[in-house]
Every structure is written in C-alpha cells, then in structure tokens.
Amino acid sequence: MLTRNSADVIVVGAGVIGAACAYYAARSGLRVTVLDRGPVAGGTTGAGEGNLLVSDKEPGPELELALLSTALWRELAEELPPEIEYEPKGGLVVASDEAGMAALRDFAAGQRTAGVTADEVTGDRLHDLEPHLTSGLAGGFHYPQDAQVMPALAAAHLLRAGGDRIRLRLGEEVTGLLTGAAGEIRGVRTATGELHAPYVVNAAGSWSGDLARLAGVELPVRPRRGFVLVTEPLPRVVRHKVYAADYVADVANGSAALQSSAVVEGTAAGPVLIGASRERVGYDRTLSVEVLRRLAAQATALFPVLAGVRAMRTYVGFRPYLPDHLPAVGPDPRVPGLLHACGHEGAGIGLAPATGLAVARSLTDGEPPLDLTPFRPERFPSAAT
Amino acid sequence: MPLSASEPYDLAVIGAGSAGLAGAVAAAELGLSVALLDTAVHTGGQFYRTPAPVMGAVRPEALHHDWSPYADLRRRLARSDVRHLPGHHVWSVTKDVDGEGTGEGAGEGAGPADGPWAVHAVTGADGGGERPVRLRARTVLLATGAYERQLPFPGWTLPGVVGAGGAQAMLKSGLVLPGRRVVVAGSGPLLLAVASSLAAAGARVPAVVEASGYLRYARHPRALVANPHKAAEALVHGAALLWHRVRVRLRSAVTEVHGTDRVEAVTVTRVDRDWRPVRGTGRRIECDALAVGHGLVPQIELATALGCTTRPLPDGTTALALDGLQETSVHGLWAAGETGGVGGAQLARAEGELAGIAAAARVLDRPAHGGRVRELQRRRDRMRAFAGAMAAAHAPGPGWSGWLTDDTDVCRCEEVTAGQVREAIEDLGARDARTVKLLTRAGMGWCQGRMCGPAVACLAARGRAAEPLVERRPFAVPVPLSALAALDDPAMPRPDDQGETPSEPGAAPGGDG
Ligand SMILES: Cc1cc2nc3c(=O)[nH]c(=O)nc-3n(C[C@H](O)[C@H](O)[C@H](O)COP(=O)(O)OP(=O)(O)OC[C@H]3O[C@@H](n4cnc5c(N)ncnc54)[C@H](O)[C@@H]3O)c2cc1C
Ligand SMILES: Cc1cc2nc3c(=O)[nH]c(=O)nc-3n(C[C@H](O)[C@H](O)[C@H](O)COP(=O)(O)OP(=O)(O)OC[C@H]3O[C@@H](n4cnc5c(N)ncnc54)[C@H](O)[C@@H]3O)c2cc1C
C-alpha cells in the first residue's frame, strides 16, 4: 500500500467552493487532489445563479467576506478566460413605496460605513438605469459593486487554472476519513482505495455535515431549497440585477416558511433568470407550482414586458446553510488537519474566492485575509441536531 | 357520484394518440368522468394523422395501414362523455394539495400527500395562445408518446435534412414531400415505413441506409414468430420497396451531407458492428433531401418530474417502469404507449385500454381482473418482448461519434460543436449530459435538449455505456410567465358545473415569515 502522501491537501467537493480552495492552494505552491463523487459543478454550484452580491448583505462578517470576494473576483476575471462570463453589471434594488424607500435608505447607510457603494436613485430616474422597469416605483438604490459569473464555468476554469498542481478525481465518493494515532487527518477512503494527505478540506456543500460526521464531528449543515425560472433568450431587456426590497428581509430570516422575492437578471447568453425561492423542505425536488407562481408574478410586476415571455425551464437547487447563516471556514480544532469550507447558503458563488484564499492561507500558515472567528466550524453546540 | 364545481375528474388522460384514446374510451365506458388533453387539434397522435381539410385528402386511410381500429376508437369517443380538450399543452402535473395549493406546508422530508392531481396546461396554437388551464383529477394516465432521436453528423443542419418520422408525419397530414430524391437513413424499423410512404407518394428513394444489420432480429426468433403482424408489416413494406426499386443498405450510415444552401448529395459509408465508419467505403449519392432518424425517445418528463421510476431500454433511451397494470411507481399515475418503451400503435392501444381499466378499478374500488385484462396483458407482453428485441437491434453503436468532426454542431439551438462538447468532457470535468449542458449550453436552447440530449449523453459516456438519460425537464412545454403568474386562478370547472363559481380557493398565497 502506498503510504507516501500523494498530495499536500485533499479537497472534497468540486463545486465552486472546492474549486476556489484548490485554486488558491495551488497558487500557494501546494499539490492538491480534488475529489468529487460526481462531475465538476454537479452539486448546488450547477443549480443556482451567479450573483456576486454585496447589496443584500447587512454590515457584519458575511459582508466583509463578500467585499473581499468582490475584489478577488475582479482579479480572477483578469486571470481566467472570458468563458466565466464575469459581468460587473451592478445591482438595482427597488422599493414600491416611501416606507420601503426609507427602509432601503437606512440599510444603505449602514452598508456604506462598511465600504459598500450605494447610490440612491429617485423614482423618476429608475428608467435611465432600467428602461423596462414598471412605472410608479418610489425609487431604489444602485449598487455598482454587484456583479455576476456563470457558476459552473467559473468552477471549471478555477480548477483548470490550477494547472498540474491540481489533480481532479471525479466519480469518486469519499466514504471515510483516515486518521492517525493522535486523531490527526491522514487522508480519505474512497470506493477504490485510500488517498493520503495531511490535510483534508471539507467543501462538500449541502452534504458537508455528512463528511464532518465521517470525521466524528458535528456540523449542522442543512439544505435550503430554491427554484429558478429561466426564460427564452431575449435581447437585453434587463441590464442590472434587479430585485424588490423584501428580498433583504428574506435572506436574514431563518423561518422555514416560503419566502421569495424575485431577483431578475439578464445573462450573457440571452435568457433572463428569475430567482430564487427559499424553503426548507429537505431534498424534495418536486415542482412547487406556488413557488413558480410567485417568481413569475414578482418578475412580471417589476418588468411588465416579461408577461408575454416564455419560461423554458426551471431548476431546483439546495443551498447549504448553517443555523446562524454564516459559513464554516477554516481549521477544525477538534480534528487536526481537517478544514471546512462550507455552508455558504445562497451566496457561495460570491463568497468562493475569499473562502478559498482564507483556506489556502490556513494551509500555508499565512496571515488570514480577514478575521475568521465568526466562521469557526466548532461554534455550534454539539447537540445541535 | 357527487358533482360539484371543485369535484375532480376521475381520470385525466394526457395525450390522445393510440394509447390515450384507448385509455380514455375504456375508462369512460366503465363509468368514469374523463378529460382527454392533447396539444394537437385532432386525436390520433403520431400514427393516425388527420390531414388538414384544405389539403383535400378525402381518404386519409389510404395513407395509413391499420386505420380501422382508430376509426373504431373515434366512434366510441364521440359516443362517450369524455371531455376532449384539443389544443391543450400540458406543462406540468402536480399533486394538488387540497385547498392550500402551495404544497409547502408539508414540512421537512414529507412527500406530497396522496390526493387529487392538478394538470396544468396552456392553450393556443403552439402554447403561445396563452390561456392557462388547470384541472383536477383523481387519477392520471400519461400517454404522451415519443419523439424522434437525432444523432448529429457533418451537414445535418442543412436545409433539406428532415426527421424521418417528421417526413412521414408531413406526408400523412399535409401530403407534402420533403424533396424529389430522398435518401432515408438512420436506424430503426420506421425507416422502411417512411421509405415506402415516400415512394408511394411519388418521391424517388435512391437508398434506405440502415446502420444496424437486421440479422440481429434473428437472435429473437421467438419474438418474431409471436408477432406475426410485425412480420406482415415488414413484408408489406418490403414488397412496396421492391416495387419502387428502393435499395436497402444495411450496416451503412450517412456520414456527411453535401451542399451549400441545401442538400445536394450525401456520403454513405459502411460501418462495422460498432457503427465505426469503415475507411475508404464512402460513396456519394445525389439527392435533394435526407430523411434521417435513429429511433424514438419516450417522452416522459411529466412523469420524471414527479419522481416516477424509469428503466433503461436496450437502445440507450429511458422509459417509465410500469407494473402489470401499467401503473408507474407513483400511486395513481398510469402510463401507456411509447412512454413505457417504443412499441408501435397496436401495443399502445392494448396498454391504453389496460390502463383505463386499471384506473377505473381504482376509482370504483374494484379489483382489475377478468378475461379482458388477462388477454390484454398477454398481448402486451408479447408485443413488448418484440419491442425489446427491436430496441436492442437498433441500439446506436459506440462508434457513431467517429462521424463527427470537431466543428460539427451537436446542439443546433445553441450552436455547440462536437469539439466544444469534447473539451467540456476532457478538460473541464463534465461527466454527463447535465454538466456538459452547464459548461457548453448544449441543450439549453429552444428544444431543451430533446434533439441533442441523447447524442451528448453518448459523448459524455466516452465509449462506456451512456448513463441512462433521465431528463429533468419540469416544463414539458414552454409556459408564458403570465400563465405562471395566474396560477392562483381557480381550477377549470368541469363542464357540468359551468357557470358556477368554484368554491375551491385554488392556490392561496402561503404565509410568509
Ligand atoms: C436556486 C439557487 C440560487 C442561488 N443563487 C446564488 C447566487 O446568485 N449567488 C451566489 O453566490 N450563490 C447562489 N446560490 C448558492 C450557491 O449556489 C451555493 O452556495 C454554492 O454553489 C455552494 O457551493 P459548494 O461548492 O459549497 O457546494 P456544491 O456545489 O454542492 O459542491 C459540493 C460538491 O461536493 C460533492 N460531494 C459531497 N459529498 C461528497 C463525498 N462524500 N465525496 C465526494 N464528493 C462529495 C458533491 O458531489 C458536490 O459536487 C444559489 C443556490 C441556489 C440553490
Ligand atoms: C415522428 C414519428 C413518426 C412515426 N411514424 C410511424 C409510422 O410510420 N409507422 C408506425 O408504425 N409507427 C410510427 N410511429 C410510432 C407510432 O406513432 C407510435 O407507435 C404510436 O403512435 C404510439 O402511440 P402513443 O399513444 O403512445 O403515442 P402518440 O401517438 O405519439 O401520441 C402521443 C400524444 O400525446 C400528445 N402529447 C405529448 N406531449 C403532450 C403534452 N405535454 N401535452 C399535451 N399533449 C401531449 C401528442 O400531441 C400526441 O398526440 C411514429 C412515431 C413518431 C414520433
């Protein structure tokens, strides 16, 4: 049996988070093996949207992670091929009445102190930014830092950009973690054998709780379902990421009840994406007609021209979330050698580069790019289930 | 039976082809209230095509063999209380969670409750007429048939290249010929039928090019002997082809189409048993059209969206897994005809009737047995066995992708080439049709992968057996956003209730927060 380490680090999960961890680790000179039981981007990364948002985040650790990521995505857009469809198009959050506008104004004021650019747009100027927006809205805020990528292509090109330092092993499921005498990580077990490395990064998305359990630790990651509606290809009718103010409340709200407010965005390829709903229903894939109705109703309320446009398909994904809606990023003190990079809920595409950079710094004993304390994986009481 | 505005139909049948028609009529004759929905204006499905009146065809039966069973079903339909809803494009079937409509209250992990079904449709010529319709039903029979499988090859997007089944359909319903010299190519029993129809309608058919060797049927002599009508059908076509002096080239394939603005000629190449082109055997055949098809793919997305179990067929397609009485793995949902595997109109009729009887038994709370059921089951089993043998004989060999050059379009909607698909698989980590789609957009266009899906799945398998393609295509047809937005409008009342205001609240908005 091979005992020599075949890699410096094993990343479990070839979604956008695992890809970003692998990319930054490889750039730091490490040899990385990425394992996934399926293809690249076959999990939630291939079932969501690619909004890179700061506009929806209140001041706090997640916004810090998002702001760092925003800067890193801008760098990545230079390094990765144009196929990742990076578009710094900006976001536009609208309110239908004065009360909504007042709430947005408060929210934006707080964000500005944290470094977010948010420009108020009066109702009569909204059409300069979005000509097809419904009339009669009270106004909104323009967030020039909001951007967009195509998530699956971004993940694939992050992995490819790692070059020879990244070895991809697809179609291999991790079924166990190997530990040494002191409980320290020695590698992983798969159906075809053992792979050795002193570090394992848990980037298994919604299934990260299962992987943590293989290491004997509790990490209460759960799936939160979301549907996205995709229209037929259109010429550019929607220029920004446009959404109604109640979205902000949804993100922060941990309730299990259905909440949705449509983010409407055009894509480079033509179709308009309308998403996404948020529900906690386990891994149930069944079509929810009520969710689709709401998404369609909200999108057509914002953009009346969309009423006659056809939805071509809808897809469902499962966001990995933790009870406090913050991801787990960094080393797990309970299992030496185990790091986590998971639980990014509805913002994993946006938060991927900062997460990857933070993980790479931990692996190389470098200075963390931001304070990781709020993301400590061991922060949940162990009886959390 | 109690009748009120919110009372569901006993049975909703989706698809009015051979299977759906037989099922609707059988169930109605046993006393069920039945709605029969179809996209098309006429019943009959893919096989029985009613020509548009302007075409002046007075005797459509002349273009169809086996017309009389259809005529009989049509008569029985006219006599029955079945509510025929033509021009209804069903885009989804969901569990109708009574009175609440959202289905969200179920809580973590809970599956949808057993209860009436909601059938969602839009009306209009091509789904663009845009009236949303929702009706409720206790049981559902899915009889949505199949569509033709296309495998790409250089030049297949040139005008003049048409689907073989499509050519046949055009001929039957509109009496239009795709060209004057038409090469028929691909694989499957349909090719002979298409060639003889084209020849009978006056086209020259310089060749029928079949990639497999019919000899493989010989491996299943029992199935052939047990299906004399199939042998007879083959004889009819064979005789017709002989009469029109059509040459059938076995183990050959059209590997390239020539022409600038439209088809001018094709290259026909011999292939080995894996469908690998044999070098140096290509020969040019002049023609102005090519009718090509590689068998049929069951159209099952309405069922897979509900989580119905599927089964892989020997030809690489996927059908619904059904029990002895045609029920899917989802209680209360039956399927018949091509949705359970491609097997022809006669099999579809037998299965439809069986499903209709079974649904009636469920609704009326009686066991489904008796002589008729046993006889239908016997017939079905015999014809299914034959269908299986045919599917195996015409399974695309792994070598077909040898026809593709890197610049051959695989997905014609999004113009994705074979080279791009290969790059996604070899360099970007795609391993199945879904991730190829994500990384190349192949299958994201108008047809939603119906055209390129099978080809992409084969390419992604890289010579391994392609993973059965289970489509997740929650909309069976595109749906206008306005129709989706109007989904909380009340369900369509049954005809006997028209004029009343339905008491059922439809999909009430669920509580936020
Ligand atoms: C509808 C919807 C819309 C969204 N919109 C946005 C948005 O606009 N912006 C944004 O930033 N985020 C969005 N998200 C969230 C985002 O998609 C996720 O946060 C992100 O994709 C998570 O990436 P991941 O790499 O952690 O997980 P995944 O992409 O799920 O990757 C995890 C991988 O781990 C693999 N795996 C799991 N267990 C094992 C094992 N034991 N062995 C081997 N492999 C294993 C899985 O196969 C999978 O490929 C959205 C999500 C949804 C559902
Ligand atoms: C293109 C083509 C050509 C064929 N040519 C021949 C031939 O020449 N000879 C031969 O023996 N067999 C032929 N067949 C096979 C033959 O048509 C079938 O064996 C037979 O029709 C099966 O009956 P069915 O009821 O299962 O399906 P079909 O007859 O296909 O009926 C399915 C019906 O469902 C409807 N439908 C589908 N989806 C929806 C939806 N979402 N909403 C509403 N309605 C829907 C369709 O409009 C259609 O009327 C052909 C098949 C195809 C696809």
Side-chain angles (χ1 to χ4, degrees):
Chain A
M1 163 122 329
L2 192 74
T3 47
R4 198 166 48 87
N5 284 334
S6 45
D8 299 315
V9 54
I10 292 169
V11 175
V12 184
V16 72
I17 299 292
C21 291
Y23 171 82
Y24 285 102
R27 248 189 31 177
S28 317
L30 302 179
R31 290 168 308 149
V32 189
T33 295
V34 179
L35 281 171
D36 200 297
R37 60 185 173 206
V40 167
T44 308
T45 299
E49 295 172 273
N51 298 316
L52 316 176
L53 300 186
V54 295
S55 57
D56 65 337
K57 296 178 181 65
E58 60 189 0
E62 195 190 1
L63 181 56
E64 278 174 44
L65 203 59
L67 282 166
L68 173 59
S69 268
T70 300
L72 293 173
W73 269 121
R74 220 175 291 130
E75 281 175 33
L76 288 171
E78 303 287 312
E79 285 157 38
L80 302 179
E83 280 79 10
I84 68 166
E85 296 177 14
Y86 175 79
E87 281 189 86
K89 52 161 56 173
L92 182 64
V93 188
V94 297
S96 49
D97 54 17
E98 259 321 306
M101 226 15 226
L104 279 186
R105 215 169 275 131
D106 273 0
F107 195 69
Q111 289 175 313
R112 283 202 196 98
T113 62
V116 173
T117 311
D119 304 321
E120 181 161 348
V121 186
T122 53
D124 56 327
R125 303 303 306 278
L126 283 173
H127 285 98
D128 298 347
L129 291 172
E130 284 293 343
H132 295 286
L133 202 57
T134 189
S135 44
L137 293 170
F141 274 79
H142 178 225
Y143 288 87
Q145 286 153 314
D146 283 357
Q148 159 179 327
V149 289
M150 198 305 186
L153 284 164
H157 284 287
L158 279 167
L159 289 167
R160 193 193 216 183
D164 292 345
R165 291 186 188 278
I166 296 182
R167 275 185 56 210
L168 250 185
R169 300 183 62 143
L170 300 175
E172 287 194 53
E173 174 156 15
V174 172
T175 53
L177 290 180
L178 309 173
T179 48
E184 82 282 9
I185 287 288
R186 302 285 301 276
V188 300
R189 185 177 305 115
T190 71
T192 52
E194 295 182 351
L195 272 165
H196 296 265
Y199 295 101
V200 169
V201 178
N202 175 10
S206 304
W207 305 273
S208 294
D210 301 335
L211 198 82
R213 212 162 302 125
L214 293 179
V217 292
E218 184 64 38
L219 194 62
V221 182
R222 303 255 184 290
R224 198 180 193 192
R225 182 169 78 173
F227 282 98
V228 178
L229 268 175
V230 186
T231 73
E232 59 189 302
L234 300 174
R236 263 251 137 146
V237 283
V238 182
R239 299 180 179 179
H240 301 79
K241 329 197 132 284
V242 183
Y243 57 97
D246 49 349
Y247 180 76
V248 178
D250 287 350
V251 176
N253 192 329
S255 154
L258 163 73
Q259 302 146 11
S260 64
S261 65
V263 180
V264 186
E265 56 170 321
T267 59
V272 168
L273 303 186
I274 303 164
S277 57
R278 294 167 177 270
E279 319 145 75
R280 300 204 312 232
V281 291
Y283 285 105
D284 181 0
R285 308 195 72 92
T286 6
L287 187 74
S288 166
V289 168
E290 172 59 9
V291 169
L292 299 186
R293 183 191 71 74
R294 283 172 187 234
L295 291 176
Q298 287 165 343
T300 52
L302 283 175
F303 290 95
V305 288
L306 292 179
V309 167
R310 281 177 262 204
M312 297 298 296
R313 58 200 172 92
T314 175
Y315 56 83
V316 64
F318 299 92
R319 304 176 186 86
Y321 80 95
L322 282 158
D324 59 2
H325 304 284
L326 290 178
V329 181
D332 191 325
R334 298 166 294 185
V335 185
L338 178 65
L339 292 86
H340 299 281
C342 54
H344 295 76
E345 197 160 344
I349 315 303
L351 303 179
T355 301
L357 183 63
V359 164
R361 292 274 172 84
S362 301
L363 288 168
T364 52
D365 292 325
E367 185 68 22
L370 81 169
D371 179 16
L372 291 181
T373 323
F375 311 117
R376 280 171 305 126
E378 74 281 16
R379 66 188 188 271
F380 304 99
S382 61
T385 31
Chain B
M1 252 173 291
L3 289 179
S4 79
S6 61
E7 191 67 15
Y9 285 92
D10 291 327
L11 173 66
V13 179
I14 304 164
S18 297
L21 204 49
V25 167
E29 288 171 356
L30 289 166
L32 299 202
S33 59
V34 179
L36 174 61
L37 302 94
D38 198 302
T39 296
V41 177
H42 296 285
T43 60
Q46 291 285 2
F47 190 68
Y48 298 106
R49 301 235 162 213
T50 309
V54 285
M55 305 311 301
V58 270
R59 291 181 58 251
E61 53 273 38
L63 290 162
H64 295 78
H65 62 90
D66 216 17
W67 182 264
S68 74
Y70 170 58
D72 173 55
L73 283 174
R74 274 222 306 211
R75 259 192 310 277
R76 286 160 66 197
L77 179 71
R79 274 203 307 267
S80 75
D81 293 331
V82 171
R83 177 128 191 242
H84 179 211
L85 298 167
H88 280 60
H89 309 251
V90 176
W91 59 269
S92 183
V93 177
T94 55
K95 284 279 186 180
D96 190 30
V97 183
D98 213 359
E100 182 240 350
T102 72
E104 300 309 321
E108 198 124 348
D114 262 0
W117 298 95
V119 177
H120 306 275
V122 283
T123 61
D126 59 351
E130 339 277 81
R131 194 169 56 88
V133 173
R134 179 166 58 102
L135 60 84
R136 302 171 68 228
R138 292 200 170 85
T139 59
V140 171
L141 168 56
L142 202 78
T144 46
Y147 59 92
E148 197 159 31
R149 171 162 58 185
Q150 295 298 348
L151 297 179
F153 48 88
W156 72 299
T157 54
L158 260 189
V161 181
V162 298
Q168 169 93 333
M170 257 159 65
L171 201 59
K172 281 182 181 174
S173 56
L175 305 175
V176 196
L177 281 169
R180 299 212 266 177
R181 272 178 73 85
V182 190
V183 170
V184 177
S187 189
L190 198 57
L191 299 185
L192 295 182
V194 173
S196 66
S197 303
L198 287 171
R204 276 275 291 132
V205 180
V208 175
V209 184
E210 162 64 59
S212 73
Y214 277 103
L215 283 177
R216 292 202 198 174
Y217 286 76
R219 288 198 203 144
H220 300 271
R222 294 257 297 284
L224 254 185
V225 170
N227 286 269
H229 71 279
K230 285 286 172 192
E233 207 175 290
L235 272 180
V236 171
H237 294 314
L241 295 176
L242 266 180
W243 174 256
H244 294 286
R245 277 186 271 170
V246 173
R247 261 199 75 184
V248 181
R249 291 168 190 275
L250 298 179
R251 286 210 192 291
S252 302
V254 168
T255 50
E256 195 173 353
V257 180
H258 308 279
T260 36
D261 302 325
R262 66 167 288 129
V263 177
E264 288 163 17
V266 297
T267 296
V268 174
T269 307
R270 282 192 58 78
V271 296
D272 67 13
R273 50 177 42 251
D274 287 334
W275 292 29
R276 244 174 284 280
V278 179
R279 218 179 269 268
T281 59
R283 52 181 295 174
R284 204 178 147 102
I285 298 181
E286 307 295 319
C287 58
D288 60 2
L290 170 67
V292 62
H294 290 91
L296 303 176
V297 183
Q299 191 152 295
I300 57 177
E301 50 266 74
L302 289 170
T304 49
L306 285 163
C308 290
T309 307
T310 58
R311 72 186 175 103
L313 299 180
D315 64 357
T317 61
T318 304
L320 295 175
L322 303 174
D323 74 4
L325 288 168
Q326 302 294 129
E327 196 166 5
T328 68
S329 65
V330 171
H331 191 77
L333 179 67
W334 282 263
E338 315 286 54
T339 49
V342 171
Q346 200 176 350
L347 172 59
R349 269 198 316 273
E351 291 189 340
E353 182 177 345
L354 199 50
I357 294 173
R362 177 73 49 79
V363 170
L364 305 172
D365 201 14
R366 293 202 290 247
H369 51 58
R372 183 66 182 160
V373 167
R374 277 195 302 279
E375 186 201 325
L376 287 168
Q377 286 179 323
R378 241 187 338 263
R379 276 182 16 212
R380 177 200 55 200
D381 295 347
R382 178 169 45 91
M383 290 188 275
R384 273 270 161 244
F386 184 73
M390 298 250 266
H394 293 287
W400 73 266
S401 59
W403 308 335
L404 300 176
T405 54
D406 268 353
D407 60 359
T408 310
D409 272 338
V410 170
C411 166
R412 53 199 301 177
C413 305
E414 294 286 330
E415 297 179 359
V416 180
T417 63
Q420 287 168 292
V421 172
R422 284 178 181 139
E423 185 199 15
I425 294 160
E426 280 155 27
D427 300 342
L428 295 178
R431 287 170 60 84
D432 53 18
R434 175 171 170 252
T435 36
V436 169
K437 170 166 96 176
L438 282 168
L439 297 174
T440 65
R441 305 194 53 77
M444 283 197 184
W446 193 250
C447 81
Q448 290 293 293
R450 284 178 182 82
M451 282 282 233
C452 63
V456 169
C458 288
L459 289 175
R462 291 208 262 183
R464 290 172 288 139
E467 279 179 40
L469 190 65
V470 180
E471 292 290 355
R472 287 201 221 120
R473 211 181 276 134
F475 295 155
V477 299
V479 197
L481 290 178
S482 55
L484 287 177
L487 275 170
D488 55 349
D489 295 351
M492 180 165 92
R494 280 178 33 182
D496 26 46
D497 317 317
Q498 256 159 8
E500 282 180 45
T501 318
S503 57
E504 192 245 349
D512 263 3

